Amino acid sequence: MKETSIDIKDLQLNALLEVTQAVNNNLPEDDLLKIYKFTLLADLKINKLALYAQQKGEWVCRVNFGTKNNLMGEKLPEKYRELENQMGLTETSFDEFNSVFPVYHKNKILSVVFIESDNELGIQNRFLNALTNIILVAIENKRLARQQMEQEAYRRELEIAKKVQNFLFPKELPKIERLQIEAYYLPHHDVGGDYYDYIQIDENKFLACIADVSGKGVPAALLMSNFQASLRALVRQTKDLLEIVTELNHTTFVSGNAENFITFFAGIYDFKTKKLEYINCGHNEIVLRHGDKIELLNDGTTVLGMFDPLPFIETKFLEGLDEFFLFTYTDGLTETFNEADEAFEFDRLLEILKGDCPHDLTELHNIILEALHAFKGAKPFHDDITMLSCRIQNK
């Protein structure tokens, strides 16, 4: 028996009520699409349908029923992604359908719907368009609300990380005749994973260090803040550099779940004995300049947080250091790329350090930065950049 226009209106009203109620109940996205699907099947007597909409930036089939082949997850052909009006179908891949139409909201295309139905297409498609619009606008609003909540949560997390990171770096660095320390720090993001420090151990000894955590942003900054707190606590308990590094490795291994690691260089200088003890934990090549002699400080162990216990570890002692210059940095410096995708690399840095290094360490850092900017041209930085320089005059 053929349905009258009154019957069709009743079915459409029931469908509208069901969908509206589902939206008002704030159901999850998948549940909304299921209700939409079963409403079309039960109330609107649509035989076949495929609804394509964007999901994670891709146009894919989100609702499908009645077709011989399962289209769920299939990508929408390019030609339909800017469809303006309803059209008939002759394409073989969609020969099960007799019509396709776009669904717009505020001049933005939300979906493309393929249908096959025995009912009057013009009236039915107008209602189906409205019903689809209600569902997809609700889903779009949910997505925007979720995105806003995630952004707000990230903003709060970022603010906390910034406050935490402000406590990472020493407030003041020594600038006296026998000891000058200068630092430069440029985070790639609002917060970064680089860290440097200066810790006065006693009247004769101090520790200077630099570190770089794998990863970027808030997680890297939080892991590094835990690392800094552990280091400062350990230095209060012991002056044994091997013991300090062993404990730092264990802490990083546990807090990073063996998934994150930290490269680290630390040196302890004794003004009384004129000895420098150092350890390099998988960090970059550190430059020591003593008179006209350049020495690279590479001995130590592997990165921290990857293995527990460390597979090997040793510290090195350099004696008779009364006047010297120590330059440390993170790999964001040497791994800066130019427009030809060439890295700045250590050799270019070393040539600068082999030259006539100015007595003023700020000036030295500026010379390096000028060379870096000239090298990279318009290419942006892609990592944090940190430099820590130390000049000793102990005669």
Side-chain angles (χ1 to χ4, degrees), residues 40 64 73 103-104 146 193 228 238 253 275 279 283-284 323:
L40 299 185
N64 176 226
V103 176
Y104 278 86
R146 184 169 60 249
Q228 183 252 22
T238 178
F253 183 85
K275 288 182 181 179
I279 186 166
H283 201 72
N284 315 309
E323 287 190 355

Side-chain angles (χ1 to χ4, degrees), residues 132-149:
T132 305
N133 189 285
I134 292 172
I135 284 288
L136 291 181
V137 168
I139 289 174
E140 179 72 3
N141 289 339
K142 280 177 173 291
R143 185 189 67 80
L144 292 174
R146 184 169 60 249
Q147 186 180 59
Q148 187 174 5
M149 289 176 62

Side-chain angles (χ1 to χ4, degrees), residues 3 6-16 39 42-45 119 127:
E3 290 178 316
I6 295 177
D7 293 331
I8 294 174
K9 290 291 184 183
D10 285 343
L11 291 173
Q12 290 179 347
L13 180 60
N14 287 336
L16 183 61
T39 298
D43 295 340
L44 297 187
K45 311 300 183 185
N119 293 326
F127 182 77

Side-chain angles (χ1 to χ4, degrees), residues 110-344:
L110 295 181
S111 70
V112 176
V113 182
F114 296 83
I115 65 168
E116 192 277 322
S117 173
D118 296 330
N119 293 326
E120 187 179 346
L121 284 176
I123 298 174
Q124 189 180 47
N125 283 7
R126 285 195 296 272
F127 182 77
L128 181 58
N129 190 315
L131 199 66
T132 305
N133 189 285
I134 292 172
I135 284 288
L136 291 181
V137 168
I139 289 174
E140 179 72 3
N141 289 339
K142 280 177 173 291
R143 185 189 67 80
L144 292 174
R146 184 169 60 249
Q147 186 180 59
Q148 187 174 5
M149 289 176 62
E150 289 171 353
Q151 288 174 346
E152 179 61 23
Y154 179 76
R155 187 189 63 79
R156 291 196 299 268
E157 188 181 42
L158 190 62
E159 286 180 359
I160 293 170
K162 281 182 179 179
K163 290 178 181 177
V164 169
Q165 194 169 49
N166 285 336
F167 292 103
L168 281 182
F169 305 116
K171 297 299 181 185
E172 293 182 357
L173 294 171
K175 290 178 175 59
I176 56 177
E177 184 63 26
R178 72 172 186 171
L179 173 61
Q180 297 178 52
I181 296 183
E182 183 68 32
Y184 173 85
Y185 173 59
L186 176 66
H188 179 238
H189 299 284
D190 290 327
V191 292
D194 285 4
Y195 160 61
Y196 65 85
D197 213 341
Y198 161 81
I199 304 172
Q200 187 72 44
I201 297 174
D202 57 35
E203 62 180 9
N204 291 313
K205 293 182 179 180
F206 72 88
L207 179 145
C209 68
I210 193 165
D212 186 2
V213 65
S214 63
K216 300 289 182 290
V218 174
L222 295 179
L223 179 60
M224 194 58 85
S225 68
N226 184 56
F227 182 85
Q228 183 252 22
S230 300
L231 171 62
R232 286 185 163 260
L234 286 165
V235 171
R236 288 195 296 268
Q237 298 169 16
T238 178
K239 300 174 185 177
D240 188 325
L241 195 51
L242 276 177
E243 184 178 345
I244 291 171
V245 169
T246 299
E247 288 301 317
L248 284 175
N249 177 68
H250 176 71
T251 301
T252 306
F253 183 85
V254 172
S255 59
N257 297 315
E259 295 176 356
N260 297 93
F261 61 86
I262 293 176
T263 67
F264 178 60
F265 173 88
I268 296 178
Y269 181 72
D270 189 328
F271 281 97
K272 187 175 182 179
T273 64
K274 299 183 179 180
K275 288 182 181 179
L276 174 68
E277 181 186 15
Y278 80 86
I279 186 166
N280 190 325
C281 307
H283 201 72
N284 315 309
E285 294 177 299
I286 302 302
V287 179
L288 177 76
R289 179 167 175 170
H290 184 212
D292 294 330
K293 181 182 179 183
I294 293 283
E295 191 167 349
L296 303 182
L297 310 186
N298 296 326
D299 296 315
T301 185
T302 186
V303 297
L304 305 182
M306 189 70 71
F307 308 99
D308 191 27
L310 287 164
F312 60 90
I313 183 171
E314 63 175 339
T315 62
K316 285 287 186 177
F317 285 90
L318 302 176
E319 300 183 2
L321 294 178
D322 49 8
E323 287 190 355
F324 67 93
F325 164 70
L326 182 71
F327 182 81
T328 73
Y329 61 99
T330 57
D331 60 11
L333 175 61
T334 51
E335 293 180 5
T336 293
F337 289 86
N338 63 14
E339 295 175 12
D341 282 330
E342 299 168 328
F344 188 73

